[in-house]
């Protein structure tokens, strides 16, 4: 028999992660990678990672709104199956990469990432958020 308390804790943990990670996951990844890749990531402070992460979240929201305006709503993406998953993953990845370069172009961040650094952060973020989304759908 499974323990109902353990299941409730797991469900609660996944729900809390679903609320926090989409906003701050890039910041957590940058904090972890700054020690491993000091030449790829430079920053003025830890809070700059969280501000950049929040701005990237807002840009991803804008990308999602644009997709819904051209007819690719969440429901339509779910109906497309594997193709919908590919569209969702690519949209997430592109919104992070393009969003960072927009923010950098307008000098709205003090975080400097190399091309490799932003690609690594975007890839890890996209993979983790896709897995988290699938876990939330199963609940």
């Amino acid at each position: 028999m499974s323990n109902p308390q353990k299941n409730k804790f797991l469900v609660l943990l996944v729900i809390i992660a679903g609320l926090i990670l989409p906003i701050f996951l890039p910041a957590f990844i940058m904090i972890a990678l700054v020690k491993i890749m000091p030449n790829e990531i430079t920053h003025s402070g830890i809070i700059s990672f969280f501000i950049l992460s929040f701005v990237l979240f807002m840009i991803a929201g804008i990308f999602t709104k644009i997709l819904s305006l051209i007819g690719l709503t969440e429901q339509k993406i779910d109906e497309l199956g594997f193709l919908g998953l590919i569209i969702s993953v690519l949209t997430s990845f592109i919104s992070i990469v393009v969003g960072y370069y927009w923010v950098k172009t307008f000098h709205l961040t003090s975080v400097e990432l190399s091309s490799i650094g932003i690609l690594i952060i975007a890839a890890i973020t996209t993979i983790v958020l896709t897995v988290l989304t699938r876990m939330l759908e199963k609940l």
Side-chain angles (χ1 to χ4, degrees):
M1 295 187 103
S2 65
N3 187 356
Q5 290 293 63
K6 186 176 181 182
N7 290 341
K8 286 181 184 179
F9 177 74
L10 182 62
V11 169
L12 184 63
L13 184 67
V14 169
I15 289 172
I16 290 173
L19 294 172
I20 294 172
L21 284 182
I23 300 171
F24 297 117
L25 183 62
F28 296 141
I29 293 170
M30 285 184 263
I31 290 169
L33 292 178
V34 77
K35 299 287 185 194
I36 299 169
M37 304 180 335
N39 296 332
E40 307 292 329
I41 303 171
T42 57
H43 62 93
S44 62
I46 299 295
I47 195 72
S48 62
F49 289 142
F50 288 101
I51 293 170
L52 175 61
S53 187
F54 183 73
V55 171
L56 291 176
F57 177 74
M58 291 189 317
I59 291 171
I62 293 169
F63 270 55
T64 303
K65 185 63 176 173
I66 291 170
L67 282 178
S68 68
L69 289 175
I70 61 172
L72 283 173
T73 61
E74 296 271 340
Q75 185 180 23
K76 182 70 171 179
I77 288 176
D78 287 342
E79 290 174 3
L80 291 173
F82 184 71
L83 181 61
L85 175 67
I86 298 296
I87 291 170
S88 177
V89 167
L90 286 176
T91 302
S92 177
F93 182 82
I94 290 170
S95 71
I96 293 170
V97 173
V98 171
Y100 170 72
Y101 284 113
W102 282 352
V103 170
K104 182 180 171 186
T105 301
F106 293 119
H107 303 289
L108 299 174
T109 184
S110 63
V111 177
E112 292 289 326
L113 301 170
S114 68
S115 297
I116 304 259
I118 189 60
L119 291 175
I120 290 170
I121 290 166
I124 294 171
T125 301
T126 301
I127 291 167
V128 171
L129 289 179
T130 302
V131 169
L132 180 66
T133 303
R134 298 299 168 210
M135 288 176 65
L136 286 171
E137 288 176 355
K138 289 183 179 181
L139 291 181

